[in-house]
Amino acid sequence: SKEKCFKPWSYIPNGIMPIFWRVVYWTSQFLTWILLPFMQSYARSGGFSITGKIKTALIENAIYYGTYLLIFGAFLIYVAVNPNFNLQWNQLQTIGIAAANTWGLFLLVLLLGYGLVEIPRSHWNGAKRGYLLMKTYFKAAKLMTEKADAEENLEDIMEEVRKVSESIKYNHPLRKCVDTILKKCPTEYQERMGRNMDDYEDFDERQNSYPSEKSLVKLHKQVIYSVQRHRRTQVQWQILLEQAFYLEDVAKNETSATRQFVHTFRSQEAENKIIQYFYTPTVEWYWECLLRPWFYRVLAVVLATFSVIVVWSECTFFSTSPVLSLFAVFIQLAEKTYNYIYIEMACFLTIFFLSICVYSTVFRIRVFNYYYLASHHQTDAYSLLFSGMLFCRLTPPLCLNFLGLTHMDATISHTDAQPTAYTSIMGSMKVLSFIADGFYIYYPMLVVILCIATYFSLGTRCLNLLGFQQFMGDSEMTSDLIDEGKELIRREKRKRQRQEEGENRRREWKERYGNRDDSTRNRVVHTDQKESSFSETNTSRPLSKYTRTNGRTERDRIELLQDAEPLDFNADSINDDPLESDSGRYQPGGRYLSMSRSQMFDDV
């Protein structure tokens, strides 16, 4: 049998993988327990300097770090006092690793139980156009409420900023802090506050009460949060509108006799010419209306099959004789034939599916506005760092769970097989027998209960009872929100249609009357030259500047008339302002307007 075992091309020499896993594991532990919590507090701080932000982060994390140090110190004292325990440094290290993996495994099973059911179900529902459209209407109603709340919150914060900006003048010591806050405000609010500022007024410490630096730090933190939330809701609203318009277009094109996909609105983003060449309206119609629903259904069945295999293996991987875990059966069959490529593919697909189920749930979690991963680069720094902490905590127990499913962990398989590089880093869990023989083996069975709860949407129903509106087909509140969202989408659709119609009218007007507007502009410029020469010879020097100003005003008026929407008349020329056309009256610019009635009504 040794002759059949060939050295694979991707073989890694002994001693390399333990070093690799040691670097990966301890780096992730340092990130998740020390660095990332500190960076979270630093990113959320409202300090005006690096030193101030670091000080705030250290104070906020003092309790967080102190709790773990207190527990660890109490454990060391207990071990040192009790004579029955004779623990070495390696055993203490193993206990620390076991504690971290226990917490990670607890979180892993919770997320895995949700993802194993929700991922296949979401793809199956993705084939239902009516379901997706109703859910989009529901999201639109909820997002509009959140958007209005964000706008109201931003207005309140900007009002506080305005009061602070008006009270703290240019020569106040805290004016630099106020300027830093103003830079974080939206542009329109900055311009509005800048017009109302009077920097020539000195401050008086006796008469006015000024905010402290601590209150400015708190205001700075509120400004950063409110501006980011307002921008996120605005972007999400535009994305949701595009999604709703697209789903409505799909519903309309399903009954199209020409079998060509027609969009209600033109795409605002420039499309690739290669994609336009191959992805024609006919191809788009066949994909969106015929092929895509069936593709999603087939994919949902495949994912559901993988989910059933994972659930079965999680409940039976402790059984080594007979081997009931399907992943362990696949690996052992490949070991008998020394098929190294098959072993790599089986391991890759297994851990890839487990990673999708676990990590995709992280992207779906939302804890109010405290933690929320939003698409299109709208996630704040605090949520990104929190997700990084979760990924670092979930990766080691995910690898350990995979080794248990495939019976590669000697602690679970109860064999004398050569331990893997990862197991050698983790150490022997026999130091804590109640964890190695109890928690690690029987706790993953809880995934069955979590899958059943997710299938019947028990979590969604509980949140709905608590007052958090969730999408449920049999709920009266859901129906009301769907109707509200449908009306909001219809309103936005009419608004965009009017905008496109206005742009089309302006474009047609410029194309039709562009040459006539150029000739009109030339005649007006020629008339201005004559009038300016007449004013120079008949007025004094101080009046000449009014003549130039009046000519500039007239040119601005002509440009405004050219940009206006077309009216139903034919104009050969543009005359002066009717308010300035009183007969025989001397104008400030040094001009006399004619009393001829024919010239007054040439444009009518």
Side-chain angles (χ1 to χ4, degrees):
S1 59
K2 294 182 179 180
E3 297 177 355
K4 297 181 182 179
C5 183
F6 298 100
K7 186 177 181 179
W9 64 271
S10 59
Y11 174 76
I12 300 176
N14 294 331
I16 301 298
M17 290 301 295
I19 297 175
F20 171 78
W21 272 116
R22 188 174 287 109
V23 172
V24 171
Y25 180 80
W26 290 112
T27 302
S28 63
Q29 294 301 308
F30 174 76
L31 289 174
T32 188
W33 297 108
I34 298 178
L35 184 60
L36 291 181
F38 176 81
M39 293 178 65
Q40 276 186 306
S41 301
Y42 182 89
R44 209 175 183 87
S45 173
F48 298 100
S49 63
I50 297 177
T51 306
K53 290 184 177 181
I54 293 176
K55 182 180 178 181
T56 304
L58 289 176
I59 294 175
E60 290 183 357
N61 286 273
I63 301 176
Y64 179 79
Y65 297 139
T67 304
Y68 289 105
L69 290 176
L70 181 63
I71 296 174
F72 185 71
F75 177 76
L76 288 180
I77 294 174
Y78 175 76
V79 171
V81 173
N82 195 338
N84 296 326
F85 287 95
N86 187 15
L87 297 179
Q88 304 296 327
W89 168 250
N90 292 333
Q91 294 176 339
L92 289 175
Q93 179 180 341
T94 302
I95 292 174
I97 293 174
N101 287 341
T102 301
W103 163 245
L105 186 63
F106 174 79
L107 189 62
L108 174 74
V109 173
L110 294 178
L111 300 179
L112 185 64
Y114 178 83
L116 288 173
V117 176
E118 190 60 29
I119 289 179
R121 182 164 60 184
S122 62
H123 285 80
W124 182 266
N125 292 330
K128 304 175 183 178
R129 298 298 183 187
Y131 174 86
L132 290 179
L133 191 57
M134 294 300 105
K135 193 170 184 178
T136 304
Y137 290 150
F138 177 83
K139 289 180 179 179
K142 289 188 64 177
L143 185 58
M144 176 55 72
T145 304
E146 184 180 357
K147 179 169 168 285
D149 185 35
E151 292 175 352
E152 183 180 354
N153 185 30
L154 182 64
E155 288 286 345
D156 296 339
I157 298 298
M158 291 299 105
E159 181 64 22
E160 294 183 14
V161 174
R162 183 191 63 81
K163 293 178 180 178
V164 171
S165 179
E166 291 179 355
S167 62
I168 299 180
K169 300 303 179 182
Y170 72 100
N171 54 353
H172 195 279
L174 295 177
R175 183 61 200 181
K176 293 182 179 180
C177 300
V178 177
D179 293 337
T180 303
I181 295 175
L182 289 175
K183 291 179 182 178
K184 303 294 178 63
C185 299
T187 306
E188 58 270 17
Y189 289 99
Q190 293 183 21
E191 296 175 352
R192 192 184 308 172
M193 295 175 191
R195 289 194 299 266
N196 296 331
M197 276 295 298
D198 185 10
D199 284 346
Y200 297 100
E201 182 181 353
D202 294 335
F203 75 96
D204 188 0
E205 295 182 356
R206 299 178 181 177
Q207 296 180 0
N208 299 328
S209 59
Y210 298 98
S212 62
E213 185 177 0
K214 186 177 181 181
S215 62
L216 290 180
V217 169
K218 182 179 180 181
L219 181 61
H220 187 204
K221 183 177 179 180
Q222 292 175 347
V223 167
I224 295 174
Y225 173 74
S226 60
V227 170
Q228 197 279 333
R229 184 188 176 197
H230 178 261
R231 182 171 61 248
R232 172 172 58 81
T233 53
Q234 295 291 336
V235 173
Q236 286 181 327
W237 177 250
Q238 296 300 325
I239 296 172
L240 192 63
L241 288 179
E242 296 294 335
Q243 184 180 359
F245 296 156
Y246 159 74
L247 292 175
E248 290 179 347
D249 290 341
V250 172
K252 291 180 181 179
N253 284 275
E254 285 180 348
T255 57
S256 175
T258 59
R259 296 194 172 185
Q260 288 189 347
F261 200 91
V262 179
H263 293 273
T264 304
F265 303 107
R266 291 173 297 179
S267 177
Q268 298 179 356
E269 299 179 357
E271 296 182 359
N272 193 352
K273 294 183 178 180
I274 299 177
I275 297 177
Q276 290 180 349
Y277 180 78
F278 290 100
Y279 198 60
T280 60
T282 303
V283 175
E284 185 176 5
W285 186 90
Y286 276 100
W287 168 249
E288 297 293 345
C289 300
L290 291 181
L291 299 178
R292 188 170 183 172
W294 285 104
F295 173 77
Y296 271 67
R297 291 189 183 98
V298 173
L299 183 60
V301 171
V302 173
L303 293 174
T305 304
F306 270 97
S307 297
V308 172
I309 294 175
V310 170
V311 172
W312 172 261
S313 300
E314 290 284 358
C315 296
T316 59
F317 72 85
F318 62 89
S319 176
T320 56
S321 180
V323 178
L324 299 178
S325 175
L326 296 180
F327 293 114
V329 171
F330 297 153
I331 298 299
Q332 290 179 6
L333 289 176
E335 288 178 353
K336 294 179 180 179
T337 58
Y338 297 97
N339 194 337
Y340 188 77
I341 296 179
Y342 176 80
I343 294 175
E344 284 190 331
M345 293 301 299
C347 293
F348 172 76
L349 291 177
T350 303
I351 200 167
F352 179 71
F353 181 72
L354 291 174
S355 301
I356 289 178
C357 293
V358 174
Y359 294 153
S360 63
T361 309
V362 175
F363 287 93
R364 296 170 182 262
I365 295 176
R366 177 172 184 178
V367 184
F368 303 103
N369 288 314
Y370 177 77
Y371 168 72
Y372 177 39
L373 291 178
S375 59
H376 294 80
H377 313 286
Q378 297 304 313
T379 305
D380 59 347
Y382 188 87
S383 298
L384 287 175
L385 292 170
F386 189 80
S387 64
M389 291 172 56
L390 289 179
F391 291 148
C392 291
R393 292 179 186 179
L394 290 172
T395 301
L398 179 63
C399 297
L400 192 64
N401 183 252
F402 166 75
L403 294 177
L405 292 177
T406 55
H407 287 184
M408 293 184 183
D409 190 354
T411 304
I412 296 175
S413 61
H414 301 287
T415 60
D416 296 332
Q418 183 179 1
T420 61
Y422 184 78
T423 308
S424 64
I425 298 302
M426 294 293 103
S428 178
M429 294 300 172
K430 295 179 181 179
V431 179
L432 300 175
S433 59
F434 67 94
I435 292 180
D437 299 332
F439 185 80
Y440 281 172
I441 294 178
Y442 298 106
Y443 177 72
M445 296 181 184
L446 187 63
V447 73
V448 179
I449 300 176
L450 295 173
C451 288
I452 294 174
T454 305
Y455 179 80
F456 291 103
S457 304
L458 296 183
T460 302
R461 298 179 187 276
C462 292
L463 289 175
N464 201 32
L465 291 175
L466 294 175
F468 300 98
Q469 291 85 7
Q470 302 294 317
F471 185 76
M472 298 176 59
D474 54 351
S475 174
E476 183 178 355
M477 180 65 70
T478 301
S479 302
D480 295 339
L481 290 176
I482 288 175
D483 295 337
E484 181 182 350
K486 186 184 297 186
E487 182 61 31
L488 291 172
I489 298 299
R490 186 182 296 114
R491 189 184 308 165
E492 292 291 336
K493 194 172 187 178
R494 289 197 300 265
K495 180 180 178 181
R496 183 170 295 188
Q497 287 175 345
R498 288 195 298 268
Q499 290 177 353
E500 289 198 352
E501 290 173 359
E503 292 176 358
N504 293 333
R505 286 199 302 268
R506 294 187 187 94
R507 190 181 302 108
E508 293 176 358
W509 172 261
K510 290 180 181 179
E511 292 176 356
R512 182 177 301 178
Y513 301 103
N515 297 330
R516 185 172 298 180
D517 291 341
D518 294 338
S519 62
T520 303
R521 186 180 295 107
N522 292 332
R523 285 198 296 272
V524 171
V525 170
H526 183 65
T527 305
D528 289 341
Q529 292 176 354
K530 286 184 177 181
E531 291 177 350
S532 62
S533 62
F534 177 78
S535 62
E536 288 176 358
T537 56
N538 291 279
T539 60
S540 61
R541 186 174 181 180
L543 291 175
S544 61
K545 61 180 181 180
Y546 295 104
T547 305
R548 290 193 295 270
T549 303
N550 206 357
R552 183 176 60 186
T553 304
E554 184 132 358
R555 287 194 295 272
D556 294 340
R557 189 185 302 116
I558 293 169
E559 292 177 358
L560 288 174
L561 289 173
Q562 290 172 353
D563 293 336
E565 294 190 6
L567 302 176
D568 296 332
F569 71 92
N570 294 324
D572 294 331
S573 63
I574 300 177
N575 277 345
D576 295 331
D577 193 342
L579 297 176
E580 298 178 356
S581 60
D582 296 340
S583 59
R585 180 178 299 174
Y586 180 79
Q587 299 298 314
R591 295 181 295 182
Y592 286 96
L593 300 180
S594 174
M595 295 175 58
S596 173
R597 188 177 298 273
S598 61
Q599 291 183 2
M600 293 174 60
F601 296 96
D602 281 344
D603 291 341
V604 180

